[in-house]
Amino acid sequence: MTPESQLVRHAGKLYEKGWMAGTSGNLSVRTEDGIRITPSGKHKGELSVADLVAVSGQGQDPVHSSARPSAEISLHQTIYRNRTEARAVYHVHTVEANVVSQWAKSGNLEMPPLEMLKGFAWKGYDPRPFLPVFANDPDVGAIAGELETYFHCRRGFTLPGFLIRLHGLTVWGDSPDSAFKHIELFDFLFRFMVLSRPFSSGTCS
Ligand SMILES: [Zn+2]
């Protein structure tokens, strides 16, 4: 199965989970000549490989298609440029990702020390990892700039993903299957965080 057909299969699964509702979210894979990414405005439950838009690794222009690539292509390009191991980048909108994105302090969301973190090759004795949370911005290029800075400045263990506040989750992996797994792991962590949030955290008079 080619990376492109794996992406299409994953798009159907992610749609069925309710994580790509409407026409939201975008998925891409790295290819020999650049990137294949989901088109803008296309329903993710009805994709075929022929719908994917070919884009160069750097530029904005579609290479082989008249369809428009996802508006968030610059985020994908920033990840592929900075993470040479990345072969797939998946971006979804889940309810829990939106909820926990509001809890980040100073742009970092501390992950709970769950066994599931080991799915990211985190060792139990490492400090608890943080997931970066960027402000949402109608100018996606501004978010891509923040992400570029993060890649240049971050040291030590880093999780293969980030949140955009009140928007969604983006992950990458060294294969489409790996990116899909990372979406599932983060979803588990976020659901745990939502369910274990103390009910007493509201304001009392
Ligand atoms: Zn989005």
Side-chain angles (χ1 to χ4, degrees):
M1 187 177 266
T2 65
E4 290 92 331
S5 52
Q6 284 181 292
L7 181 158
V8 167
R9 186 168 59 91
H10 289 155
K13 285 183 165 187
L14 294 168
Y15 174 76
E16 283 170 15
K17 285 176 175 284
W19 297 344
M20 302 190 88
T23 59
S24 70
N26 37 76
L27 313 176
S28 74
V29 289
R30 196 201 291 266
T31 57
E32 293 294 314
D33 59 352
I35 300 168
R36 296 292 182 281
I37 189 166
T38 47
S40 179
K42 178 90 181 180
H43 199 282
K44 303 306 184 298
E46 300 169 352
L47 278 182
S48 70
V49 168
D51 291 320
L52 301 181
V53 182
V55 180
S56 74
Q58 304 289 331
Q60 297 286 338
D61 298 329
V63 177
H64 299 303
S65 171
S66 58
R68 271 188 307 124
S70 163
E72 292 171 8
I73 179 63
S74 59
L75 295 174
H76 293 247
Q77 290 168 319
T78 302
I79 293 167
Y80 289 122
R81 258 201 323 275
N82 286 280
R83 292 291 182 210
T84 54
E85 79 279 12
R87 306 294 300 178
V89 175
Y90 287 2
H91 168 69
V92 294
H93 296 184
T94 76
V95 172
E96 286 82 1
N98 276 265
V99 172
V100 302
S101 73
Q102 304 172 98
W103 300 343
K105 292 178 184 148
S106 309
N108 284 312
L109 183 66
E110 191 174 27
M111 293 288 101
L114 304 186
E115 184 70 14
M116 288 295 264
L117 273 178
K118 293 181 181 173
F120 294 116
W122 178 77
K123 308 287 188 296
Y125 45 78
D126 293 328
R128 285 170 64 175
F130 289 87
L131 190 64
V133 182
F134 303 110
N136 200 15
D137 194 313
D139 175 7
V140 180
I143 307 174
E146 295 282 321
L147 180 61
E148 186 90 38
T149 301
Y150 166 77
F151 281 137
H152 287 165
C153 299
R154 181 75 181 161
R155 296 288 176 267
F157 178 84
T158 55
L159 292 165
F162 61 87
L163 285 167
I164 303 173
R165 186 171 292 110
L166 298 177
H167 177 159
L169 167 70
T170 303
V171 307
W172 57 90
D174 59 10
S175 68
D177 280 344
S178 166
F180 187 84
K181 180 186 85 171
H182 291 164
I183 293 267
E184 289 186 311
L185 291 172
F186 278 121
D187 177 65
F188 185 98
L189 292 162
F190 297 160
R191 280 188 291 126
F192 172 86
M193 293 167 76
V194 169
L195 291 171
S196 62
R197 181 85 161 170
F199 290 109
S200 59
S201 61
T203 309
C204 300
S205 57

